[in-house]
Coordinates of all heavy atoms in Angstrom, one line a residue:
M288 N -10.0 -7.1 1.9 CA -9.6 -7.1 3.3 C -10.5 -6.3 4.2 O -11.0 -5.3 3.8 CB -8.1 -6.6 3.4 CG -7.4 -7.0 4.7 SD -5.6 -6.8 4.5 CE -5.4 -5.1 4.7
A289 N -10.8 -6.8 5.4 CA -11.7 -6.0 6.3 C -11.1 -4.7 6.7 O -9.9 -4.5 6.8 CB -11.9 -6.9 7.6
R290 N -12.0 -3.7 6.8 CA -11.6 -2.4 7.2 C -11.0 -2.4 8.6 O -11.5 -3.1 9.5 CB -12.9 -1.5 7.2 CG -12.8 -0.2 7.8 CD -13.1 0.9 6.7 NE -13.4 2.2 7.3 CZ -12.6 2.9 8.0 NH1 -11.5 2.5 8.4 NH2 -13.0 4.1 8.4
K291 N -10.0 -1.6 8.8 CA -9.4 -1.5 10.2 C -9.5 0.0 10.6 O -9.5 0.9 9.8 CB -7.9 -1.9 10.2 CG -7.8 -3.4 9.9 CD -6.4 -3.9 10.0 CE -6.3 -5.4 9.8 NZ -5.0 -5.9 10.0
Y292 N -9.5 0.2 11.9 CA -9.8 1.5 12.4 C -8.6 2.1 13.3 O -7.9 1.4 13.9 CB -11.0 1.5 13.3 CG -12.2 1.0 12.6 CD1 -12.6 -0.4 12.5 CD2 -13.1 1.9 11.9 CE1 -13.7 -0.8 11.8 CE2 -14.2 1.5 11.2 CZ -14.5 0.1 11.1 OH -15.6 -0.3 10.4
H293 N -8.6 3.4 13.2 CA -7.6 4.2 14.1 C -8.3 4.4 15.4 O -9.3 5.1 15.5 CB -7.2 5.5 13.5 CG -6.5 5.3 12.2 ND1 -5.1 5.2 12.1 CD2 -6.9 5.2 10.9 CE1 -4.7 5.0 10.9 NE2 -5.8 5.0 10.1
V294 N -7.8 3.7 16.5 CA -8.6 3.6 17.7 C -7.8 4.3 18.9 O -6.6 4.2 18.9 CB -8.7 2.1 18.1 CG1 -9.4 1.9 19.5 CG2 -9.5 1.4 17.0
A295 N -8.6 4.9 19.7 CA -8.0 5.5 21.0 C -8.7 4.9 22.2 O -9.9 4.6 22.1 CB -8.2 7.0 21.0
I296 N -7.9 4.7 23.2 CA -8.5 4.3 24.5 C -8.1 5.3 25.6 O -6.9 5.5 25.8 CB -8.0 2.9 24.9 CG1 -8.4 1.8 23.9 CG2 -8.6 2.5 26.3 CD1 -7.9 0.5 24.2
V297 N -9.1 6.0 26.1 CA -8.9 7.0 27.2 C -9.1 6.2 28.5 O -10.2 5.7 28.8 CB -9.9 8.2 27.1 CG1 -9.6 9.2 28.2 CG2 -9.8 8.8 25.7
G298 N -8.0 6.2 29.3 CA -8.0 5.4 30.5 C -7.4 4.0 30.3 O -7.7 3.1 31.0
A299 N -6.5 4.0 29.3 CA -5.9 2.7 28.9 C -5.1 2.0 30.1 O -5.0 0.8 30.1 CB -5.0 2.9 27.7
T300 N -4.6 2.8 31.0 CA -3.8 2.2 32.1 C -4.6 1.7 33.2 O -4.1 1.0 34.1 CB -2.8 3.2 32.6 OG1 -3.6 4.4 33.0 CG2 -1.8 3.6 31.6
G301 N -5.9 1.9 33.2 CA -6.8 1.5 34.3 C -7.3 0.1 34.2 O -7.0 -0.6 33.2
A302 N -8.0 -0.3 35.2 CA -8.5 -1.7 35.3 C -9.4 -2.0 34.0 O -9.2 -3.1 33.4 CB -9.3 -1.9 36.6
V303 N -10.3 -1.1 33.7 CA -11.2 -1.3 32.6 C -10.4 -1.2 31.3 O -10.6 -2.0 30.3 CB -12.4 -0.4 32.6 CG1 -13.2 -0.5 31.3 CG2 -13.2 -0.6 33.8
G304 N -9.5 -0.2 31.2 CA -8.8 0.0 29.9 C -7.9 -1.2 29.6 O -7.8 -1.6 28.4
V305 N -7.2 -1.8 30.6 CA -6.3 -2.9 30.3 C -7.2 -4.1 29.9 O -6.8 -4.9 29.0 CB -5.5 -3.2 31.6 CG1 -4.8 -4.6 31.5 CG2 -4.4 -2.1 31.8
E306 N -8.3 -4.3 30.6 CA -9.2 -5.4 30.2 C -9.7 -5.2 28.7 O -9.8 -6.2 28.0 CB -10.4 -5.5 31.2 CG -11.3 -6.7 30.9 CD -10.6 -8.1 30.9 OE1 -9.5 -8.2 31.6 OE2 -11.1 -9.0 30.3
L307 N -10.0 -4.0 28.4 CA -10.5 -3.7 27.0 C -9.4 -4.1 26.0 O -9.7 -4.7 25.0 CB -10.8 -2.2 26.9 CG -11.3 -1.7 25.5 CD1 -12.5 -2.4 25.0 CD2 -11.5 -0.2 25.6
L308 N -8.2 -3.8 26.3 CA -7.1 -4.1 25.4 C -7.0 -5.6 25.2 O -6.9 -6.1 24.1 CB -5.7 -3.7 26.0 CG -5.3 -2.3 25.7 CD1 -4.0 -1.9 26.5 CD2 -5.0 -2.0 24.3
R309 N -7.2 -6.4 26.3 CA -7.1 -7.8 26.3 C -8.3 -8.4 25.4 O -8.2 -9.3 24.6 CB -7.1 -8.5 27.7 CG -6.0 -8.1 28.6 CD -4.6 -8.7 28.2 NE -3.9 -7.9 27.1 CZ -3.1 -6.9 27.3 NH1 -2.8 -6.5 28.5 NH2 -2.5 -6.3 26.3
V310 N -9.5 -7.8 25.6 CA -10.7 -8.2 24.8 C -10.4 -7.9 23.3 O -10.7 -8.8 22.5 CB -11.9 -7.5 25.3 CG1 -13.1 -7.8 24.4 CG2 -12.3 -8.0 26.7
M311 N -9.9 -6.8 23.0 CA -9.6 -6.4 21.6 C -8.6 -7.4 21.0 O -8.7 -7.8 19.8 CB -9.1 -5.0 21.5 CG -10.2 -4.0 21.8 SD -9.6 -2.3 22.0 CE -9.2 -1.9 20.3
E312 N -7.7 -7.9 21.8 CA -6.7 -8.9 21.3 C -7.5 -10.2 21.1 O -7.3 -10.8 20.0 CB -5.6 -9.1 22.3 CG -4.5 -8.1 22.4 CD -3.5 -8.4 23.4 OE1 -3.8 -9.0 24.4 OE2 -2.3 -8.0 23.2
R313 N -8.2 -10.6 22.1 CA -8.9 -11.9 22.0 C -9.9 -12.0 20.8 O -10.0 -13.0 20.1 CB -9.7 -12.2 23.3 CG -8.8 -12.7 24.4 CD -9.6 -13.5 25.4 NE -10.7 -12.8 26.0 CZ -10.6 -12.0 27.1 NH1 -9.4 -11.8 27.7 NH2 -11.6 -11.3 27.6
R314 N -10.6 -10.9 20.6 CA -11.6 -10.8 19.5 C -11.0 -10.4 18.2 O -11.8 -10.2 17.2 CB -12.7 -9.8 20.0 CG -13.4 -10.2 21.3 CD -14.2 -11.5 21.1 NE -15.3 -11.4 20.1 CZ -16.5 -11.2 20.4 NH1 -16.9 -11.0 21.7 NH2 -17.4 -11.1 19.5
D315 N -9.7 -10.2 18.1 CA -9.1 -9.8 16.9 C -9.7 -8.5 16.3 O -10.1 -8.5 15.1 CB -9.1 -10.9 15.9 CG -8.0 -10.8 14.8 OD1 -7.1 -10.0 15.1 OD2 -8.1 -11.4 13.8
F316 N -10.0 -7.6 17.2 CA -10.6 -6.3 16.8 C -9.8 -5.6 15.7 O -8.6 -5.6 15.8 CB -10.7 -5.4 18.0 CG -11.7 -4.3 17.8 CD1 -13.0 -4.4 18.1 CD2 -11.2 -3.0 17.4 CE1 -13.9 -3.4 17.9 CE2 -12.1 -2.0 17.1 CZ -13.5 -2.2 17.4
P317 N -10.4 -5.1 14.7 CA -9.7 -4.6 13.5 C -9.0 -3.2 13.8 O -9.6 -2.2 13.4 CB -10.8 -4.5 12.4 CG -12.1 -4.3 13.2 CD -11.9 -5.1 14.4
V318 N -7.9 -3.3 14.4 CA -7.1 -2.1 14.8 C -6.1 -1.8 13.7 O -5.2 -2.6 13.5 CB -6.5 -2.2 16.1 CG1 -5.6 -1.0 16.5 CG2 -7.6 -2.4 17.2
A319 N -6.1 -0.6 13.1 CA -5.1 -0.2 12.2 C -4.0 0.5 13.0 O -2.8 0.3 12.7 CB -5.6 0.8 11.1
D320 N -4.4 1.3 14.0 CA -3.4 2.0 14.8 C -4.1 2.3 16.1 O -5.3 2.5 16.2 CB -3.1 3.4 14.1 CG -2.0 4.1 14.8 OD1 -1.0 3.4 15.3 OD2 -2.0 5.3 14.9
L321 N -3.3 2.3 17.2 CA -3.8 2.4 18.5 C -3.1 3.6 19.3 O -1.9 3.7 19.3 CB -3.5 1.1 19.3 CG -4.1 0.9 20.6 CD1 -5.6 0.9 20.6 CD2 -3.6 -0.5 21.2
R322 N -4.0 4.4 19.9 CA -3.4 5.5 20.7 C -3.9 5.3 22.1 O -5.2 5.3 22.4 CB -3.9 6.9 20.2 CG -3.2 8.0 20.9 CD -3.5 9.3 20.1 NE -3.0 9.3 18.7 CZ -3.5 10.1 17.8 NH1 -4.4 11.0 18.0 NH2 -3.0 9.9 16.5
L323 N -3.0 5.1 23.1 CA -3.3 4.9 24.5 C -3.2 6.2 25.3 O -2.1 6.8 25.3 CB -2.4 3.8 25.0 CG -2.5 2.4 24.2 CD1 -1.5 1.4 24.9 CD2 -3.9 1.9 24.2
L324 N -4.3 6.6 25.9 CA -4.3 7.8 26.6 C -4.6 7.7 28.1 O -5.4 6.8 28.5 CB -5.4 8.7 26.0 CG -5.2 9.0 24.5 CD1 -6.5 9.4 23.8 CD2 -4.1 10.1 24.3
A325 N -4.0 8.5 28.9 CA -4.2 8.5 30.4 C -3.9 9.8 30.9 O -3.7 10.8 30.2 CB -3.4 7.3 31.0
S326 N -3.7 9.9 32.2 CA -3.4 11.1 32.9 C -1.9 11.3 32.9 O -1.1 10.4 32.6 CB -4.0 11.1 34.4 OG -3.0 10.4 35.2
P327 N -1.5 12.5 33.4 CA 0.0 12.8 33.4 C 0.7 11.8 34.3 O 1.9 11.6 34.2 CB 0.1 14.2 34.0 CG -1.2 14.8 33.6 CD -2.2 13.7 33.7
R328 N 0.0 11.1 35.2 CA 0.6 10.2 36.1 C 1.3 9.0 35.3 O 2.2 8.4 35.8 CB -0.4 9.6 37.1 CG -0.9 10.5 38.2 CD -1.8 9.8 39.1 NE -3.1 9.5 38.4 CZ -4.1 10.4 38.4 NH1 -4.0 11.5 39.0 NH2 -5.3 10.1 37.7
S329 N 0.7 8.7 34.1 CA 1.1 7.6 33.4 C 2.1 7.9 32.2 O 2.4 7.1 31.4 CB -0.1 6.8 32.8 OG -0.9 6.3 33.8
A330 N 2.4 9.2 32.2 CA 3.3 9.6 31.0 C 4.6 8.7 31.0 O 5.2 8.5 32.0 CB 3.7 11.1 31.2
G331 N 4.9 8.2 29.8 CA 6.1 7.4 29.7 C 5.9 5.9 29.9 O 6.8 5.1 29.5
R332 N 4.7 5.6 30.4 CA 4.5 4.1 30.6 C 4.3 3.5 29.2 O 3.9 4.1 28.2 CB 3.2 3.9 31.4 CG 3.5 3.8 32.9 CD 2.2 3.3 33.6 NE 1.9 1.9 33.3 CZ 0.8 1.3 33.7 NH1 0.0 1.9 34.5 NH2 0.6 0.0 33.4
R333 N 4.5 2.2 29.2 CA 4.2 1.4 27.9 C 3.3 0.3 28.2 O 3.4 -0.3 29.3 CB 5.5 0.9 27.3 CG 6.4 2.0 26.8 CD 7.8 1.5 26.4 NE 8.6 2.6 26.0 CZ 8.7 3.2 24.9 NH1 7.9 2.8 23.9 NH2 9.5 4.2 24.7
L334 N 2.4 0.0 27.3 CA 1.5 -1.1 27.4 C 1.6 -2.0 26.2 O 1.9 -1.5 25.1 CB 0.0 -0.7 27.6 CG -0.3 0.1 28.8 CD1 -1.8 0.6 28.7 CD2 -0.2 -0.8 30.1
E335 N 1.4 -3.3 26.3 CA 1.6 -4.2 25.2 C 0.2 -4.5 24.6 O -0.8 -4.7 25.3 CB 2.2 -5.5 25.7 CG 2.9 -6.3 24.6 CD 3.6 -7.5 25.1 OE1 4.5 -7.3 25.9 OE2 3.2 -8.6 24.7
F336 N 0.2 -4.6 23.3 CA -0.9 -5.0 22.5 C -0.5 -5.8 21.3 O 0.3 -5.3 20.5 CB -1.7 -3.7 22.0 CG -3.0 -4.1 21.2 CD1 -4.1 -4.6 21.8 CD2 -3.0 -3.8 19.9 CE1 -5.2 -4.9 21.1 CE2 -4.2 -4.1 19.1 CZ -5.3 -4.7 19.8
R337 N -0.9 -7.0 21.2 CA -0.5 -7.9 20.2 C 1.0 -8.0 20.0 O 1.5 -7.9 18.9 CB -1.2 -7.5 18.8 CG -2.7 -7.7 18.8 CD -3.3 -7.3 17.5 NE -4.7 -7.5 17.6 CZ -5.6 -6.8 16.9 NH1 -5.2 -6.0 16.0 NH2 -6.9 -6.9 17.1
G338 N 1.7 -8.1 21.2 CA 3.1 -8.3 21.1 C 3.9 -7.0 20.8 O 5.1 -7.1 20.7
Q339 N 3.2 -5.9 20.7 CA 3.9 -4.7 20.4 C 3.7 -3.7 21.6 O 2.7 -3.6 22.2 CB 3.3 -4.1 19.1 CG 4.1 -2.9 18.5 CD 3.3 -2.3 17.3 OE1 2.6 -3.0 16.6 NE2 3.6 -1.1 17.0
E340 N 4.8 -2.9 21.9 CA 4.7 -1.9 23.0 C 4.2 -0.6 22.4 O 4.7 -0.1 21.4 CB 6.0 -1.8 23.7 CG 6.4 -2.9 24.6 CD 7.3 -2.6 25.6 OE1 8.1 -1.6 25.4 OE2 7.3 -3.2 26.7
F341 N 3.2 0.0 23.2 CA 2.7 1.3 22.8 C 3.0 2.3 24.0 O 2.7 1.9 25.1 CB 1.2 1.2 22.6 CG 0.9 0.6 21.3 CD1 0.8 -0.8 21.2 CD2 0.6 1.3 20.1 CE1 0.5 -1.5 20.0 CE2 0.2 0.6 19.0 CZ 0.2 -0.8 18.9
L342 N 3.5 3.5 23.6 CA 3.7 4.5 24.6 C 2.4 5.1 25.1 O 1.6 5.4 24.2 CB 4.6 5.5 24.0 CG 5.2 6.6 25.0 CD1 6.1 6.0 26.0 CD2 5.9 7.7 24.2
V343 N 2.2 5.3 26.4 CA 1.0 5.9 26.8 C 1.1 7.4 26.7 O 2.2 8.0 27.1 CB 0.7 5.5 28.3 CG1 -0.5 6.3 28.8 CG2 0.5 4.0 28.4
E344 N 0.1 8.1 26.1 CA 0.2 9.5 25.9 C -0.7 10.2 26.9 O -1.7 9.6 27.3 CB -0.2 9.9 24.5 CG 0.7 9.3 23.4 CD 0.2 9.6 22.0 OE1 -0.5 10.7 21.9 OE2 0.4 8.8 21.2
V345 N -0.4 11.5 27.3 CA -1.3 12.2 28.2 C -2.4 12.8 27.4 O -2.2 13.4 26.3 CB -0.5 13.4 28.9 CG1 -1.4 14.2 29.7 CG2 0.7 12.8 29.7
L346 N -3.6 12.6 27.9 CA -4.8 13.1 27.2 C -4.7 14.6 27.0 O -4.4 15.4 28.0 CB -6.1 12.8 28.1 CG -7.4 13.3 27.6 CD1 -7.8 12.6 26.3 CD2 -8.5 13.0 28.6
G347 N -5.0 15.1 25.8 CA -4.9 16.5 25.6 C -5.8 16.9 24.4 O -6.5 16.1 23.8
N348 N -5.7 18.2 24.0 CA -6.6 18.7 22.9 C -6.4 18.0 21.6 O -7.3 18.0 20.8 CB -6.4 20.2 22.8 CG -6.9 21.0 23.9 OD1 -7.9 20.5 24.6 ND2 -6.4 22.2 24.2
S349 N -5.2 17.6 21.3 CA -4.9 17.0 20.0 C -5.0 15.4 20.0 O -4.6 14.8 19.0 CB -3.6 17.5 19.5 OG -2.6 17.1 20.4
S350 N -5.5 14.9 21.1 CA -5.4 13.4 21.3 C -6.2 12.7 20.2 O -5.9 11.5 19.9 CB -5.9 13.0 22.7 OG -5.1 13.4 23.7
F351 N -7.2 13.3 19.7 CA -8.1 12.6 18.8 C -8.0 12.9 17.3 O -8.8 12.5 16.5 CB -9.6 12.8 19.2 CG -9.8 12.4 20.6 CD1 -9.9 13.3 21.7 CD2 -9.9 11.0 21.0 CE1 -10.0 12.9 23.0 CE2 -10.0 10.6 22.3 CZ -10.1 11.5 23.3
V352 N -6.9 13.6 17.0 CA -6.6 13.9 15.6 C -6.3 12.6 14.9 O -5.5 11.8 15.3 CB -5.4 14.9 15.5 CG1 -5.0 15.0 14.0 CG2 -5.7 16.2 16.1
G353 N -7.1 12.3 13.8 CA -6.9 11.1 13.1 C -7.6 9.9 13.6 O -7.5 8.8 13.1
I354 N -8.2 10.0 14.8 CA -8.9 8.9 15.4 C -10.3 8.7 14.9 O -11.0 9.7 14.8 CB -8.9 9.1 17.0 CG1 -7.5 9.1 17.6 CG2 -9.8 8.0 17.7 CD1 -6.7 7.8 17.4
E355 N -10.6 7.4 14.6 CA -12.0 7.2 14.1 C -12.9 6.6 15.1 O -14.1 6.8 15.1 CB -11.9 6.1 12.9 CG -11.1 6.6 11.8 CD -10.8 5.5 10.8 OE1 -10.0 4.6 11.1 OE2 -11.5 5.4 9.8
L356 N -12.3 6.0 16.1 CA -13.1 5.3 17.1 C -12.4 5.4 18.5 O -11.2 5.1 18.6 CB -13.2 3.8 16.7 CG -14.1 2.9 17.5 CD1 -15.6 3.4 17.4 CD2 -14.0 1.5 16.9
A357 N -13.2 6.0 19.5 CA -12.5 6.2 20.8 C -13.4 5.5 21.9 O -14.6 5.6 21.9 CB -12.4 7.6 21.1
F358 N -12.7 4.8 22.8 CA -13.3 4.1 23.9 C -12.9 4.9 25.1 O -11.7 5.3 25.3 CB -12.8 2.7 24.1 CG -13.2 1.8 23.0 CD1 -12.4 1.6 21.9 CD2 -14.5 1.2 23.0 CE1 -12.8 0.7 20.9 CE2 -14.9 0.3 22.0 CZ -14.0 0.1 20.9
F359 N -13.9 5.2 26.0 CA -13.6 6.0 27.2 C -13.8 5.1 28.5 O -14.9 4.6 28.7 CB -14.5 7.2 27.3 CG -14.2 8.2 26.2 CD1 -14.7 8.0 24.9 CD2 -13.5 9.3 26.4 CE1 -14.4 8.9 23.9 CE2 -13.2 10.2 25.4 CZ -13.7 10.0 24.2
S360 N -12.8 5.0 29.3 CA -12.9 4.3 30.6 C -12.1 5.0 31.6 O -11.4 4.4 32.4 CB -12.4 2.8 30.4 OG -11.0 2.8 30.1
A361 N -12.3 6.3 31.7 CA -11.5 7.2 32.6 C -12.4 7.9 33.6 O -12.0 8.9 34.2 CB -10.6 8.1 31.9
G362 N -13.7 7.4 33.7 CA -14.6 8.1 34.5 C -15.5 9.1 33.7 O -15.0 9.6 32.7
S363 N -16.7 9.3 34.2 CA -17.6 10.1 33.4 C -17.2 11.6 33.2 O -17.4 12.2 32.1 CB -19.0 10.1 34.0 OG -18.9 10.6 35.4
G364 N -16.6 12.2 34.2 CA -16.1 13.6 34.1 C -15.1 13.7 33.0 O -15.2 14.6 32.2
T365 N -14.1 12.8 33.0 CA -13.0 12.9 31.9 C -13.6 12.6 30.6 O -13.3 13.3 29.6 CB -11.9 11.9 32.3 OG1 -11.4 12.2 33.5 CG2 -10.8 11.9 31.2
A366 N -14.6 11.7 30.5 CA -15.2 11.3 29.2 C -15.9 12.5 28.6 O -15.8 12.8 27.5 CB -16.1 10.1 29.4
R367 N -16.6 13.3 29.5 CA -17.4 14.4 29.0 C -16.4 15.5 28.5 O -16.6 16.1 27.5 CB -18.2 15.0 30.2 CG -19.6 14.6 30.2 CD -20.5 15.4 31.1 NE -20.1 15.3 32.5 CZ -20.6 14.3 33.3 NH1 -21.4 13.5 32.9 NH2 -20.2 14.3 34.5
Ligands
LIG109 N1 -13.2 -1.5 37.5 C1 -14.5 -2.0 37.4 O1 -14.8 -3.1 37.7 C2 -15.6 -1.1 36.9 C3 -16.9 -1.6 36.8 C4 -17.9 -0.8 36.3 C5 -17.6 0.5 36.0 N2 -16.4 1.1 36.1 C6 -16.1 2.4 35.7 O2 -15.2 2.5 34.7 C7 -14.4 3.6 34.8 C8 -12.9 3.3 34.9 O3 -12.7 2.4 36.1 P1 -11.3 1.7 36.4 O4 -11.6 0.7 37.4 O5 -10.7 1.3 35.1 O6 -10.5 2.9 37.0 P2 -8.9 3.1 37.2 O7 -8.3 1.7 37.3 O8 -8.8 4.0 38.3 O9 -8.4 3.7 35.9 C9 -8.8 5.0 35.5 C10 -8.1 5.4 34.2 O10 -8.5 6.7 33.8 C11 -7.4 7.5 33.7 N3 -7.6 8.8 34.1 C12 -8.1 9.3 35.3 N4 -8.2 10.6 35.2 C13 -7.8 11.0 34.0 C14 -7.7 12.3 33.4 N5 -8.0 13.5 34.0 N6 -7.2 12.4 32.1 C15 -6.9 11.2 31.5 N7 -7.0 10.0 32.0 C16 -7.4 9.9 33.3 C17 -6.3 6.8 34.5 O11 -5.0 7.2 34.1 P3 -3.8 7.1 35.2 O12 -3.4 5.6 35.2 O13 -2.7 7.9 34.5 O14 -4.2 7.6 36.5 C18 -6.6 5.3 34.3 O15 -6.1 5.0 33.0 C19 -14.9 4.4 36.1 O16 -15.9 5.3 35.6 C20 -15.6 3.3 36.8 O17 -16.6 3.8 37.7 C21 -15.3 0.3 36.6

């Protein structure tokens, strides 16, 4: 079976982040687990991925524990 990855998206609620989610669905990207990260403004929001709802978490120091692959679409300052 193909390897799957623990993936994070920083800026998941934004225009680019939402499109990235849709592309990952369309391309059947090998996601084992998904962590959706954004600012405190989005705390409690939910986004759908492959028919499943994921709670959006606030970006913080422990956001990348266990993450193998992270995509950043929250602006260059936040990415740095
Ligand atoms: N949209 C385009 O067509 C386009 C094209 C080329 C390049 N870009 C670049 O791509 C990046 C994202 O653009 P966008 O259009 O997707 O912007 P956007 O719709 O404003 O989304 C920004 C995302 O970043 C999150 N965010 C902002 N500040 C944050 C912080 N301090 N901590 C954690 N998350 C934070 C936002 O969370 P909240 O929802 O919680 O605020 C949201 O998820 C920008 O650098 C932009 O210049 C965009």
Side-chain angles (χ1 to χ4, degrees):
M288 198 162 76
R290 170 118 161 62
K291 294 185 177 182
Y292 299 90
H293 295 270
V294 175
I296 300 178
V297 181
T300 54
V303 174
V305 167
E306 184 58 24
L307 178 59
L308 275 175
R309 300 290 81 90
V310 169
M311 289 168 74
E312 283 180 329
R313 282 203 300 275
R314 300 295 296 264
D315 202 18
F316 196 86
V318 175
D320 189 38
L321 187 61
R322 191 168 299 159
L323 303 180
L324 300 159
S326 82
R328 289 182 289 273
S329 297
R332 270 192 68 185
R333 289 172 191 276
L334 294 174
E335 201 177 298
F336 180 70
R337 292 180 185 155
Q339 191 184 335
E340 285 205 333
F341 288 80
L342 188 65
V343 176
E344 300 175 30
V345 177
L346 179 65
N348 288 333
S349 58
S350 291
F351 302 103
V352 173
I354 295 297
E355 298 171 285
L356 188 58
F358 294 95
F359 293 80
S360 63
S363 57
T365 302
R367 265 194 293 275

